[in-house]
Amino acid sequence: MNQQPVLKIVDLRKKYGTTEILKGVSLELKKGETKVIIGPSGTGKSTLLLCINRLVEPDSGKVFLEGEEITPKNVHRMRQKIGFVFQDFNLFNHLTALDNVRIGLIKVQKIRKAEATEIAMEQLKKVGLADKAHLYPSQLSGGQKQRVAIARALATRPKVILFDEPTSALDPELIGEVLSVMVDLAKSGMTMLVVTHELGFARSVADEIVFMENGVIVEQGTPSEIFTNPKTERTRQFLRRLTELYGEERK
Amino acid sequence: MSFAEVFIQAIPKLLNGLLVTFYMTAFAAIFGLVFGTILCVWRVYANRLVSLVSTGFIELIRGTPMLVQLFILYYGLPVYGIRLSPLIAALIGFTMNSAAYQAEYIRGAIHSIGSGQMRAALAIGMGKWQAVRSIILPQALRLVIPAWTNEFIYLLKYTSMAYIIGAPEMMAQAKFIASRNFEFFKVYLITAFIYLTVVWIASFFFSWLERKLRIPGTVVGER
């Protein structure tokens, strides 16, 4: 049957000055689907994510969440349904882990404190940090910070979560804990759009891999298609380079 | 006259003056913080017109001597029928001045927080002003405490300028006493000592406040 996509991006374009960062990107995510975007730095992957919930205003193009277009007018409401996990965490430094997770519930969704606390604690438990609820960001490791950030994104019960290189700012030994939370999340049926260089994660979790370069989607397909039989030489080259750099698999 | 005699004679009046000095300083510092915060938030986050007005005000105040501002308020405005008492003129002058400087301290603090905090706040669905209120300012105002300590100390000393337009603060009292007993050196020395003591106490208070409000886990300024 023809299921409506959770997230639909149509011909998104963005220029910074005269540099064209996004040259017309279209993409769809079905419910429960995990798509991984790979590609060289500076090709517009992060800009694409930021344009989806208009943290960066796109020049043209449309984004639909469950069939409803995201516009400057409804953007505050729509953003509550789109989780966003940043490369450098962006936890609110003056708030405890618990407050970071529940502030959106209390201040934005106006949920009563007791109930918000319950929801927040549940999310912290999910990422394995219930015992760190009362610590401040500067008292947490990088991996823990990112897990709190994921809990924060989850708290508002989003329809889709966007991950912008969630492990790129982490020490190598801390990457695993964040990836394992993301794997669990994907398996639990969350719809996810992930920009990452973690090929192991892409291979084991992604329903589809999207290779982006110079502001366009060069190729997309299932992990086995992309990894074993890429259609373009450029994709093959990029994957070889990345594999040499990061290693084939990371468990 | 011996030092002790001058001291005993001068101290009641000086302490009276100190009360006015302290009152002016506290008023200017607190309302300067309120208006400074508003000016800064306008300058950084408001639309172009409001931002420009705010920037213009800040630069105008910072670019002119405080004494000139006081003279305009006290001697200049009566030309247009606006007559302010020395104390009111001084309070307005110091508050405006402090607001402009504090706006700039806060702006520096906001920049050091970084745009990621704003982005994250917007990403969870907050509006811009809500994000400023609940995410940006609570952090910026903590960072600004050391600068605020300086501002308070400056103000405490700058209020001595108010004697020129006749506000009855400590310096005015000192001048009055000295012109009567001709013990200029001793009276002004005692006055200087009182300023020093108050500045000292204020410094202690603000460093205590800074420690108390510090976000746990951060070790800024730890030695």
Side-chain angles (χ1 to χ4, degrees):
Chain A
M1 82 151 227
N2 195 1
Q3 197 196 5
Q4 186 194 38
V6 173
L7 186 71
K8 185 176 174 184
I9 302 163
V10 185
D11 197 29
L12 218 50
R13 289 168 192 273
K14 176 70 189 174
K15 259 188 210 166
Y16 285 119
T18 53
T19 321
E20 222 178 345
I21 301 291
L22 294 178
K23 301 172 186 165
V25 174
S26 300
L27 202 63
E28 277 187 23
L29 262 96
K30 290 200 270 295
K31 191 169 165 48
E33 204 174 27
T34 297
K35 279 198 183 176
V36 169
I37 304 176
I38 58 172
S41 329
T43 51
K45 304 181 307 275
S46 295
T47 306
L48 173 65
L49 292 195
L50 292 168
C51 281
I52 289 174
N53 68 355
R54 289 181 174 271
L55 286 173
V56 166
E57 197 68 15
D59 296 332
S60 69
K62 289 178 175 179
V63 180
F64 298 88
L65 186 71
E66 294 188 315
E68 186 179 355
E69 189 183 347
I70 303 173
T71 63
K73 254 202 168 123
N74 66 14
V75 69
H76 295 307
R77 178 167 58 81
M78 299 301 264
R79 279 180 186 148
Q80 295 172 40
K81 299 192 234 176
I82 303 174
F84 204 112
V85 176
F86 298 88
Q87 179 176 343
D88 38 12
F89 329 125
N90 289 340
L91 289 184
F92 305 130
N93 294 317
H94 63 306
L95 299 177
T96 61
L98 175 62
D99 281 326
N100 261 281
V101 179
R102 71 181 172 184
I103 189 168
L105 298 169
I106 296 171
K107 299 261 178 187
V108 181
Q109 308 201 330
K110 312 286 179 204
I111 293 174
R112 269 184 301 116
K113 198 167 178 180
E115 197 185 331
T117 305
E118 203 173 301
I119 297 169
M121 283 308 293
E122 195 183 304
Q123 301 308 333
L124 281 172
K125 207 178 286 170
K126 207 179 272 180
V127 299
L129 289 173
D131 58 327
K132 309 277 189 224
H134 295 288
L135 295 185
Y136 285 81
S138 48
Q139 297 169 314
L140 299 171
S141 73
Q144 290 168 338
K145 280 185 215 179
Q146 196 58 299
R147 282 147 68 197
V148 172
I150 293 173
R152 177 174 69 183
L154 283 170
T156 51
R157 297 183 198 285
K159 305 296 177 192
V160 55
I161 302 186
L162 315 175
F163 293 83
D164 186 9
E165 300 204 28
T167 57
S168 297
L170 294 176
D171 290 338
E173 72 267 27
L174 301 177
I175 291 175
E177 59 186 85
V178 172
L179 286 181
S180 95
V181 167
M182 289 170 62
V183 170
D184 290 347
L185 211 54
K187 286 185 177 149
S188 76
M190 178 56 75
T191 314
M192 295 163 48
L193 185 57
V194 184
V195 172
T196 185
H197 294 300
E198 294 294 329
L199 294 186
F201 173 81
R203 189 190 288 266
S204 59
V205 181
D207 297 294
E208 212 167 47
I209 293 178
V210 178
F211 176 57
M212 246 181 99
E213 189 172 38
N214 295 327
V216 292
I217 293 175
V218 176
E219 181 171 354
Q220 56 181 319
T222 63
S224 63
E225 279 167 18
I226 296 275
F227 280 112
T228 55
N229 200 11
K231 280 186 268 214
T232 67
E233 179 51 32
R234 187 62 194 109
T235 312
R236 197 190 309 270
Q237 241 177 28
F238 177 75
L239 285 172
R240 200 167 50 232
R241 190 88 53 74
L242 213 60
T243 314
E244 279 165 13
L245 255 177
Y246 291 88
E248 178 76 1
E249 232 23 93
R250 177 143 30 205
K251 280 286 166 218
Chain B
M1 279 170 94
S2 74
F3 226 113
E5 282 169 339
V6 174
F7 185 83
I8 289 165
Q9 190 194 44
I11 203 73
K13 269 201 160 36
L14 286 180
L15 288 183
N16 265 340
L18 178 65
L19 215 62
V20 178
T21 293
F22 198 75
Y23 168 71
M24 285 200 302
T25 305
F27 185 95
I30 290 166
F31 285 93
L33 177 66
V34 173
F35 293 122
T37 305
I38 294 171
L39 281 172
C40 164
V41 166
W42 279 355
R43 178 168 188 175
V44 179
Y45 294 108
N47 65 44
R48 191 169 290 210
L49 181 73
V50 175
S51 173
L52 215 66
V53 169
S54 163
T55 306
F57 177 81
I58 291 168
E59 295 309 327
L60 184 74
I61 297 290
R62 292 203 316 155
T64 51
M66 190 185 266
L67 200 54
V68 175
Q69 295 160 16
L70 287 179
F71 273 34
I72 290 175
L73 285 168
Y74 186 65
Y75 297 114
L77 287 183
V79 175
Y80 298 98
I82 303 169
R83 233 165 257 288
L84 303 172
S85 76
L87 190 65
I88 298 293
L91 284 178
I92 293 174
F94 291 132
T95 302
M96 280 191 340
N97 206 282
S98 189
Y101 278 94
Q102 292 195 52
E104 287 300 275
Y105 300 148
I106 298 169
R107 191 164 70 96
I110 287 177
H111 280 296
S112 77
I113 292 170
S115 57
Q117 295 284 312
M118 177 52 107
R119 235 173 214 185
L122 294 177
I124 59 171
M126 284 192 182
K128 185 164 76 173
W129 300 113
Q130 187 175 33
V132 168
R133 231 176 22 242
S134 353
I135 304 297
I136 304 296
L137 284 181
Q139 296 183 57
L141 292 177
R142 278 184 172 90
L143 288 177
V144 95
I145 294 174
W148 213 67
T149 311
N150 274 333
E151 179 62 17
F152 193 87
I153 291 169
Y154 281 136
L155 268 173
L156 195 77
K157 295 182 295 178
Y158 278 150
T159 51
S160 62
M161 275 192 221
Y163 96 88
I164 299 174
I165 58 168
E169 47 68 67
M170 186 157 64
M171 191 59 206
Q173 301 290 0
K175 195 161 186 303
F176 178 76
I177 298 162
S179 64
R180 294 242 164 146
N181 65 11
F182 301 106
E183 294 284 1
F184 293 100
F185 181 73
K186 287 167 188 162
V187 170
Y188 289 139
L189 203 66
I190 292 166
T191 308
F193 181 74
I194 296 174
Y195 274 116
L196 182 66
T197 310
V198 176
V199 165
W200 242 40
I201 294 169
S203 303
F204 271 118
F205 170 74
F206 284 114
S207 68
W208 169 82
L209 190 71
E210 194 183 337
R211 275 197 308 277
K212 192 169 159 58
L213 294 180
R214 181 177 298 161
I215 298 164
T218 57
V219 283
V220 185
E222 201 89 308
R223 262 179 283 212

